Amino acid sequence: MVEPADGGRDEEGVRHFIERFGLDLVEAGMPRMPARVFAAVLVSERGRLTAAELADQLQVSPAAISGAVRYLVQLRMLGRGREPGERRDHYRVSSDMWYEVTLQRDQMLAGWEQHLQDGIKAAGPDTAAGARLEDSRRYFEFLRGQMLLIMDRWRQVRSEGTSGPGR
């Protein structure tokens, strides 16, 4: 068994986490390299890494990192920043990243809800197809309402305290 490094950090366990959580994200639909990059930044002690640090840690080419971070920045799962006087960008996880991702999902579901409404009108509200579409629309309407309540509750819970060091 590998002994934990200073501060209790187990680097072998960290590598295992990156691969396992990366696979979880792949199974949810994210491409493999962005999933691994995201997991690596998420588990980094500072919450940020440079492209060179990512390439070294993941043992991949800088080109693979470039495409992955571009994808993650577009999804707002990573932010890009630069320290004063430095030439290299750092990719970091926002403290509100999961909240932002959930908010984007809410916007996507709102679009689906509208498209289903359009489908109901096109298929006819009193048809079997219209009934199926209405059931789907109602589901997304319900889901969005619950997500907004959960997001509000999360803001409240988060404001009541922190969950670990560095916050």
Side-chain angles (χ1 to χ4, degrees), residues 44-112:
S44 69
E45 189 61 25
R46 296 175 298 150
R48 64 185 178 125
L49 293 169
T50 65
E53 290 168 329
L54 284 162
D56 183 55
Q57 181 172 3
L58 299 176
Q59 299 293 294
V60 297
S61 72
I65 298 299
S66 176
V69 295
R70 184 172 36 256
Y71 176 87
L72 291 165
V73 167
Q74 286 174 345
L75 291 181
R76 296 185 187 163
M77 292 184 75
L78 289 184
R80 182 189 327 255
R82 192 174 285 187
E83 295 296 316
E86 288 191 7
R87 293 180 150 190
R88 293 194 281 178
D89 288 337
H90 292 90
Y91 300 96
R92 68 190 176 302
V93 176
S94 161
S95 60
D96 285 338
M97 182 273 310
W98 291 117
Y99 183 87
E100 291 294 325
V101 167
T102 303
L103 189 58
Q104 289 174 16
R105 291 286 183 221
D106 178 68
Q107 294 167 356
M108 178 186 70
L109 293 175
W112 290 3

Side-chain angles (χ1 to χ4, degrees), residues 21 25 34-42 72 77-78 93 97-98:
F21 193 61
L25 295 172
R36 292 180 70 219
V37 165
F38 177 75
V41 176
L42 185 64
L72 291 165
M77 292 184 75
L78 289 184
V93 176
M97 182 273 310
W98 291 117

Side-chain angles (χ1 to χ4, degrees), residues 104-124:
Q104 289 174 16
R105 291 286 183 221
D106 178 68
Q107 294 167 356
M108 178 186 70
L109 293 175
W112 290 3
E113 214 178 307
Q114 181 57 54
H115 293 148
L116 286 163
Q117 186 63 45
D118 295 344
I120 292 165
K121 289 178 187 172

